[in-house]
Amino acid sequence: MKPNLLAGLAALTVMTYLGQAASSAVEEPAYPEGYRRWTHVLSGVSNANFNRYEGLHNIYANSKAVEGYKSSGAFPDGSVIVFDLFEVVDKGGATVATRRKFIDVMVKDSKRYAATGGWGYTEFLGESRTERAFAQDKAPGCHGCHEAKAGRDAVLTRFKD
Ligand code: HEC
């Protein structure tokens, strides 16, 4: 009787542990299908001081995120913002975008990403729609900077008509 009881308890402990592990895994933000047809927010150029962010970036917002940019408050759930970064070369005085380095994505889901201010953060490398630079457990690194620097709902850029 005793050994059975112990085995039962051990099994229960393992199941509880697995249950916790499964429920704490946060779903990754999806690849932002079609974002190149979304609303262009702005573009910027960063030099080598910005390390891996050196290059030309274009920022796009889906329609929900445009609502967020135009409101004075928070971005609604379903907002998606994409930071699309390219390498640049100088061609006879013209700065020309060449290879896509990566895209950084923010997806608003106030329940799923409650731990990072309601924003899921991810990065897709180069032209890949599946290869990510990191898992959700690294998202607090993105959010820490956004939260500290941004005035409104962790979004740093402003929309100008
Ligand atoms: C050191 C600070 C810092 C970190 C860390 C950081 N960002 Fe940003 N992010 C910025 C700044 C500054 C901008 C605005 C760029 C501009 O004005 O053109 C920005 C803009 C963005 C935007 C466009 C929306 C907005 O907030 O304006 C997205 C999307 C984005 N970052 C995603 C990410 C992701 C994903 C990560 C983690 C891999 C990340 N960021 C890490 C500083 C940071």
Side-chain angles (χ1 to χ4, degrees):
M1 192 64 190
K2 259 192 180 163
N4 270 348
L5 186 67
L6 279 179
L9 273 178
L12 194 68
T13 311
V14 169
M15 278 160 64
T16 309
Y17 173 76
L18 288 176
Q20 277 169 357
S23 65
S24 68
V26 181
E27 196 180 312
E28 296 288 340
Y31 179 84
E33 222 45 75
Y35 74 89
R36 289 279 288 107
R37 307 283 181 278
W38 295 355
T39 300
H40 174 245
V41 177
L42 56 76
S43 298
V45 179
S46 304
N47 66 20
N49 293 340
F50 291 84
N51 304 312
R52 62 195 293 273
Y53 282 91
E54 179 181 8
L56 163 74
H57 60 264
N58 303 309
I59 296 175
Y60 301 92
N62 70 355
S63 55
K64 292 261 185 198
V66 171
E67 277 175 43
Y69 273 112
K70 295 199 165 179
S71 78
S72 55
F75 283 65
D77 276 6
S79 294
V80 184
I81 314 176
V82 179
F83 178 108
D84 193 6
L85 178 68
F86 291 86
E87 274 179 11
V88 290
V89 293
D90 181 275
K91 276 194 182 159
T95 301
V96 179
T98 56
R99 189 182 69 90
R100 175 172 279 121
K101 293 172 91 171
F102 55 80
I103 64 169
D104 270 359
V105 183
M106 289 170 70
V107 174
K108 190 74 184 275
D109 184 328
S110 46
K111 285 205 184 93
R112 183 178 295 162
Y113 304 118
T116 43
W119 288 105
Y121 293 81
T122 198
E123 182 170 293
F124 292 93
L125 296 170
E127 300 293 332
S128 178
R129 293 172 178 226
T130 52
E131 200 190 336
R132 298 172 194 260
F134 58 90
Q136 261 319 279
D137 58 345
K138 297 283 190 303
C142 308
H143 188 62
C145 182
H146 272 249
E147 190 182 40
K149 292 196 172 173
R152 204 168 60 218
D153 203 3
V155 175
L156 285 117
T157 46
R158 296 287 175 266
F159 188 91
K160 202 164 166 260
D161 271 317

